Amino acid sequence: MKEDIVHLHGNTSDLIIQTHPVVEILYWGDNISGVETNAIQAIKRAIPNGRLDVDTPMTISPEQGRGVFSSPGMEGHRQGLDWSPVFEFKTIQQNGNNLLITTEDQNAGLRLVCELNLDPKTDVLQLRHTLTNLKSETYQVDRLAVTLPLPERAEELMAFHGRWVREFQPHRLKVKHGGYQQENRRGRTSHEYFPGFMQGTSGFSEQQGEVWGFHLAWSGNHRLRTDVKTDGRRFVQAEALYFSGEMTLAEGESLSTPWVYAAYSAHGLNGMSHAFHQFIRQQIVHFPDNKPRPVHLNTWEGIYFDHNPEYIMQMASRAAELGVERFIIDDGWFKGRNNDLAALGDWYLDTKKYPNGLEPVVAHVRNLGMEFGIWVEPEMINPDSDLFRAHPDWLLAVEGYQQPTGRYQYVLDLQKPQVFDYLLKRLDSLLSSYDVAYVKWDMNREIVQPGHDGYAALDGQTKALYDLLDELRSRHPKVEFESCASGGGRIDFEILKRTHRFWTSDNNDALERQHIQRGMSYFFPPEVMGAHIGGRHCHCTRRSHSIGFRGLTALFGHMGVELDPVKESAEERAGFTRYIALHKQLRSLLHSGKVVRIDHHDPALQINGVIAQDQSSAVFLLSQLAMPTYTLSGCARFAGLDPNKNYRLKVLDHPASLRTGGVMKKLPQWLEEELTLSGAWLAKAGIALPVMDPESALLIRLDAV
Ligand code: GLA
C-alpha cells in the first residue's frame, strides 16, 4: 500500500483516508478489502469540461482556495486578511485506529489538526479539529466545522424536530439538490433540534438499507447541515455555532471543535444504534458503581412545590413498599421556593418548610433502604432572590439591554469566577452535608444575549458548565447526576460524559412517550433514558392510560415513578409494584442488550425489543399506538435472534381487554400456550398478532432452550 493512504479497519466498517497530495477521506462504509492493488486509482475523479481545470478535492476541511464552492470547513479572518486558507499536509501520527493529522497554511498563519479514530470494537468514528493561530495578530474564527463525505446514494435524511414535552420527533426528507440545515441558538442542546441526524439509501428502515449517523457532542449552540454539491458529491458538516466576535485566537491559541461521533450501518438504523449504544456504554457514560440502575420515585408531579417533611416521609415509606430504590425530592426544598417565581440562586434549605433540617428526611429514606436524591438548577437565578438582590451584575447578559426572563428567571454568568465559586461552594456543601447519592441537575430556560464582559460567550458558558460538573464529580465521585432541561433539552454525548441519566421529557403520557423514547433510542441506550410511570391522568396532556400501558412504556428505560404514592389507589399501587418488579427482573437484560426496533407494515403498531448480546434471551414490546389499520395486524417478525437456536415464547404481560374485551373470538395460539420457535422462524415468518385496543401493549419474552 502506498504510504499516503491509510486504511482503518473497524469491526463492520472501514475508513480510507489519503494524506497526499491532500488530506481527503476516500471511503467510509462497509468493510472492504483489495486496497493494496491499484484500487485507489480506480476512484480518481474525472475532470469535466465547463468548470475549473483541476479536480477540487473535498479535504477534511474543504477549502474555497482549492475551488470548493460549497460550505468551507472553516471561516475566519485577521482584520479582513487570511480569510481563505488552504491547508497543506504536514505530518500524520498513527496509533492503531487513531490518527493525528497536522496541516498548515503558512501564508495565513494557521494550523489545522484533525484527530480521528475509528473505534475497532463499536465502529463509531470519532473526530474533531483544532485550529491554532500561528501569527502575532489575533485571528477571528467565524466557523469551524467537522466535515464528513457521504456517498451519492445517501439521499434520504432523517432528522429530529421537537419542543418542550415533545422531544425527538423524527422527520424525513429526500435531499436531491442543495441541502438541509438545522441551527440551534437556544443556548442548550435544545428540545427543538437534537444535534444529530442520519442519512441513508432511499427508504432505509430500522432493519434495512445503508445508514450513516452523525452526532455533534455539544450542549450549546450548533449548526448541522447536509449538502449535495452540484457535481453530485455529498457531505455533512457539524459545528458549534458562534455568535459574532465570539471566537478570537491570540498568537499560539487554539480552538477545538466539539467531538463528532458517527457510525455506518449496512443493516438499517438498528445497526447504527447498536454502534452508538455500545460506544456510550464503553466510552461515554461512567457509572460510579457497577450496580443495577435503581428505580426512582421523583416527587415533582406528586407534590410540586408543596414540601412538608412529614408527608414526604410518608411518600418515601409508600415508595419503598412499591420497590422504589432511589427517592428524589424535586424543586421546592430551598429558601423561599414556593412557586416558580422566586428563589433560584438561594441554595440554602428552606427552614420554614424543614424546621428540623433535611437530615430526618434523608435518614428516613436511607433507613428504608433507598438512596436519596435532590433537585437543583444551578445555572439560574430569579430576580426575586437574595442572590440577585446582592449581585444583580452576576447575569449572563449584555449591559444596557433588558433581556426577557424565561420561567421568571435569568442565567448566571458561569465564567465570572465569583459565580463559579459561589455555585461550587453551595453545591459542594449540599453534597457534603447530606447523604446525597443523586442530583437532578435542571436548566429551565433558553439563553438570550449570552454576554460576558460585553462579548458573546455561549461557548465559554457551556465549557464553564462542564468545568463545574467536572469539579463536583471529582469532589464527589460517588454521586450520580441527571441531565434535565425542562425534560429533554440537554441530551447529548458531551453532557453524558459527566452525567448518568437524562430526564427524557416532562411528558409522562405513555402514548407520547412511545414516540419520544423511540426517537431517543436511535442514539441512546435504555439505561440512560429516564422513563417514569406517571399518574393515570397525565399532567401534560390530560389523557388517561391504563397502568399496563404506562408500566410497559416506562419499562424500557431507566425506570421510575412520578406521582404521590400516598394518594394513589390500592389498585394503582398494585400496578406500580407489578411493573417495578417486572423491570427489576428484566433490567440486567434491558440495560446491556442490543436494542432492536422492528419494521412493521402497520404504523399503528410499534414493536421494539432488547436482545441479550449472546442471543440467549430477548424481550419484545408490542405497543398498539392507534386503531389497527386492518382487521388483522399480520405477523410480527423478530429480527436479531440466533437463527439456529430455538426459543421458548412466553407472554409476560398483556392488556386485560385481550381476553375480556370481545375484540377477538379466538386468540392466536401463542397467547394460549407457550410455544417454542426457531430464531430463523421468528425472523422470517414470525407470529400472528392479536387484535389489540389502541393505547395498550403486550410484552413477550424469548428464551433459548
Ligand atoms: C423542570 C423539570 C421537571 C421539574 C421542574 C421543577 O420542568 O423538567 O422535571 O424538575 O423543572 O421545577
Side-chain angles (χ1 to χ4, degrees):
M1 195 185 306
K2 298 234 314 278
E3 263 169 21
D4 54 7
I5 300 291
V6 181
H7 187 170
L8 302 181
H9 300 273
N11 195 19
T12 57
S13 65
D14 282 15
L15 182 129
I16 301 172
I17 187 166
Q18 161 193 282
T19 56
H20 191 77
V22 294
V23 186
E24 187 179 10
I25 293 174
L26 301 180
Y27 178 90
W28 170 40
D30 210 359
N31 287 145
I32 193 167
S33 58
V35 183
E36 296 74 13
T37 61
N38 287 329
I40 298 300
Q41 300 303 323
I43 55 168
K44 281 248 156 25
R45 283 176 291 268
I47 299 173
N49 268 332
R51 42 184 259 177
L52 298 179
D53 299 330
V54 292
D55 177 55
T56 52
M58 287 294 285
T59 61
I60 44 158
S61 184
E63 299 122 316
Q64 222 277 336
R66 289 190 197 275
V68 166
F69 297 118
S70 44
S71 168
M74 67 144 294
E75 290 178 74
H77 63 96
R78 202 185 306 276
Q79 302 273 20
L81 301 176
D82 299 335
W83 56 276
S84 182
V86 174
F87 293 97
E88 302 296 343
F89 171 72
K90 284 276 163 206
T91 59
I92 181 167
Q93 282 165 262
Q94 182 170 8
N95 181 5
N97 270 4
N98 248 312
L99 301 181
L100 187 78
I101 303 169
T102 303
T103 63
E104 249 175 56
D105 177 339
Q106 271 163 8
N107 284 335
L110 295 170
R111 178 184 301 137
L112 186 83
V113 174
C114 171
E115 292 163 81
L116 182 152
N117 179 46
L118 177 65
D119 182 43
K121 286 205 195 110
T122 62
D123 286 278
V124 167
L125 175 66
Q126 172 183 350
L127 67 168
R128 71 169 175 184
H129 293 335
T130 299
L131 183 76
T132 305
N133 176 18
L134 306 175
K135 283 190 188 170
S136 53
E137 302 85 17
T138 300
Y139 195 81
Q140 171 73 49
V141 187
D142 296 332
R143 290 184 49 239
L144 182 61
V146 165
T147 308
L148 275 168
L150 274 180
E152 290 80 354
R153 62 189 183 280
E155 57 177 30
E156 192 163 326
L157 173 77
M158 177 172 165
F160 299 93
H161 64 97
R163 64 170 176 92
W164 174 61
V165 297
R166 201 151 188 266
E167 296 81 348
F168 284 105
Q169 304 293 314
H171 62 102
R172 285 190 182 229
L173 52 138
K174 278 267 165 71
V175 189
K176 291 288 227 181
H177 301 281
Y180 164 89
Q181 175 170 292
Q182 65 177 49
E183 276 190 359
N184 165 43
R185 295 169 182 264
R186 288 167 193 269
R188 56 184 179 189
T189 316
S190 90
H191 300 79
E192 285 73 13
Y193 294 114
F194 171 70
F197 56 50
M198 31 278 202
Q199 218 165 320
T201 44
S202 255
F204 67 84
S205 68
E206 307 295 351
Q207 295 171 230
Q208 271 162 22
E210 283 185 289
V211 175
W212 290 259
F214 306 88
H215 170 54
L216 180 81
W218 185 238
S219 315
N221 290 340
H222 69 253
R223 185 185 289 118
L224 252 66
R225 60 185 295 159
T226 180
D227 278 71
V228 191
K229 291 165 65 63
T230 49
D231 59 24
R233 281 181 292 170
R234 290 169 176 271
F235 66 94
V236 163
Q237 255 173 9
E239 64 202 79
L241 186 153
Y242 305 124
F243 290 118
S244 297
E246 188 168 359
M247 279 303 160
T248 48
L249 300 178
E251 185 179 11
E253 275 185 354
S254 299
L255 171 67
S256 293
T257 65
W259 285 105
V260 169
Y261 298 94
Y264 165 78
S265 161
H267 304 286
L269 292 158
N270 284 339
M272 179 205 76
S273 295
H274 182 56
F276 285 131
H277 293 186
Q278 289 303 94
F279 187 79
I280 284 183
R281 286 169 174 164
Q282 289 165 23
Q283 303 209 26
I284 300 281
V285 71
H286 305 287
F287 295 116
D289 295 303
N290 185 21
K291 65 177 183 201
R293 305 284 73 225
V295 174
H296 284 193
L297 185 139
N298 188 58
T299 60
W300 179 239
E301 290 196 355
I303 53 170
Y304 290 105
F305 296 101
D306 192 7
H307 284 218
N308 168 335
E310 271 69 48
Y311 192 76
I312 287 178
M313 289 194 267
Q314 270 187 62
M315 288 172 76
S317 303
R318 277 283 158 82
E321 286 163 21
L322 304 175
V324 168
E325 296 161 313
R326 185 185 271 162
F327 186 85
I328 298 111
I329 62 165
D330 206 284
D331 198 355
W333 60 269
F334 49 100
K335 201 169 62 147
R337 185 69 169 172
N338 302 316
N339 49 46
D340 58 9
L341 296 169
L344 287 177
D346 299 341
W347 301 110
Y348 297 88
L349 186 70
D350 190 330
T351 48
K352 279 199 195 131
K353 291 183 188 170
Y354 292 88
N356 303 321
L358 196 57
E359 289 84 353
V361 177
V362 182
H364 183 71
V365 169
R366 300 290 292 129
N367 288 338
L368 290 163
M370 297 185 290
E371 293 180 3
F372 178 77
I374 196 160
W375 178 95
V376 292
E377 194 180 355
E379 295 144 85
M380 298 295 157
I381 181 166
N382 285 117
D384 184 0
S385 65
D386 292 346
L387 190 71
F388 185 79
R389 283 180 281 274
H391 303 286
D393 57 327
W394 277 14
L395 303 190
L396 184 71
V398 183
E399 224 183 287
Y401 294 87
Q402 179 62 48
Q403 62 159 280
T405 51
R407 208 191 185 197
Y408 317 105
Q409 62 203 47
Y410 292 124
V411 187
L412 287 166
D413 181 356
L414 301 185
Q415 288 159 99
K416 277 194 165 52
Q418 318 87 288
V419 175
F420 190 95
D421 294 346
Y422 168 77
L423 290 175
L424 181 60
K425 213 165 138 199
R426 292 315 315 142
L427 293 163
D428 187 32
S429 150
L430 181 69
L431 300 186
S432 309
S433 310
Y434 309 105
D435 186 2
V436 176
Y438 183 80
V439 174
K440 176 176 177 181
W441 185 297
D442 211 337
M443 195 286 200
N444 280 313
R445 68 156 292 181
E446 292 145 333
I447 304 184
V448 180
Q449 278 188 339
H452 171 74
D453 292 342
Y455 293 96
L458 202 267
D459 181 82
Q461 175 80 1
T462 310
K463 287 174 180 157
L465 163 73
Y466 293 156
D467 289 346
L468 184 57
L469 273 162
D470 289 345
E471 182 56 33
L472 273 169
R473 280 173 49 250
S474 78
R475 293 186 190 191
H476 303 278
K478 290 282 178 198
V479 176
E480 290 190 17
F481 291 85
E482 176 174 71
S483 172
C484 172
S486 303
R490 192 151 62 195
I491 298 182
D492 61 78
F493 284 20
E494 198 55 43
I495 199 79
L496 189 56
K497 289 178 187 165
R498 24 190 78 78
T499 53
H500 308 92
R501 183 194 209 245
F502 294 113
W503 184 222
T504 305
S505 178
D506 277 348
N507 195 339
N508 291 317
D509 176 309
L511 182 59
E512 295 299 325
R513 273 295 185 128
Q514 286 276 344
H515 296 290
I516 296 168
Q517 294 179 187
R518 172 164 280 225
M520 185 170 165
S521 79
Y522 289 104
F523 287 86
F524 298 91
E527 62 268 32
V528 300
M529 182 165 71
H532 292 181
I533 305 178
R536 177 174 286 272
H537 301 283
C538 172
H539 292 201
C540 280
T541 60
R542 279 155 280 278
R543 203 162 23 203
S544 307
H545 286 124
S546 67
I547 180 59
F549 191 50
R550 280 176 288 148
L552 291 178
T553 301
L555 198 80
F556 279 73
H558 177 181
M559 200 195 218
V561 284
E562 180 96 17
L563 38 78
D564 175 1
V566 178
K567 295 225 168 72
E568 295 292 336
S569 68
E571 191 193 339
E572 281 282 293
R573 286 207 310 276
F576 308 146
T577 310
R578 170 175 168 70
Y579 290 101
I580 289 173
L582 193 55
H583 177 76
K584 287 182 180 170
Q585 186 192 319
L586 298 174
R587 71 182 155 188
S588 64
L589 167 60
L590 295 171
H591 293 170
S592 67
K594 197 169 181 170
V595 167
V596 280
R597 293 166 301 257
I598 298 295
D599 289 330
H600 189 67
H601 67 282
D602 184 359
L605 183 74
Q606 184 160 280
I607 308 174
N608 63 288
V610 178
I611 302 175
Q613 299 287 349
D614 66 1
Q615 296 170 305
S616 60
S617 58
V619 275
F620 281 95
L621 183 66
L622 290 76
S623 306
Q624 191 68 49
L625 305 182
M627 273 291 278
T629 306
Y630 308 97
T631 33
L632 291 172
S633 288
C635 287
R637 297 180 301 143
F638 304 106
L641 296 157
D642 183 340
N644 302 316
K645 280 188 179 139
N646 285 325
Y647 293 88
R648 195 174 44 243
L649 188 160
K650 196 170 171 205
V651 179
L652 293 185
D653 199 68
H654 65 76
S657 61
L658 214 56
R659 290 176 197 281
T660 57
V663 199
M664 288 165 289
K665 293 196 176 113
K666 190 173 183 332
L667 292 171
Q669 194 65 16
W670 55 271
L671 276 153
E672 304 285 19
E673 59 178 301
E674 278 184 25
L675 290 186
T676 298
L677 300 161
S678 74
W681 181 272
L682 285 160
K684 291 177 184 165
I687 57 171
L689 290 164
V691 182
M692 302 210 300
D693 284 332
E695 295 162 35
S696 69
L698 187 152
L699 185 72
I700 63 168
R701 183 179 176 120
L702 295 159
D703 286 296
V705 289

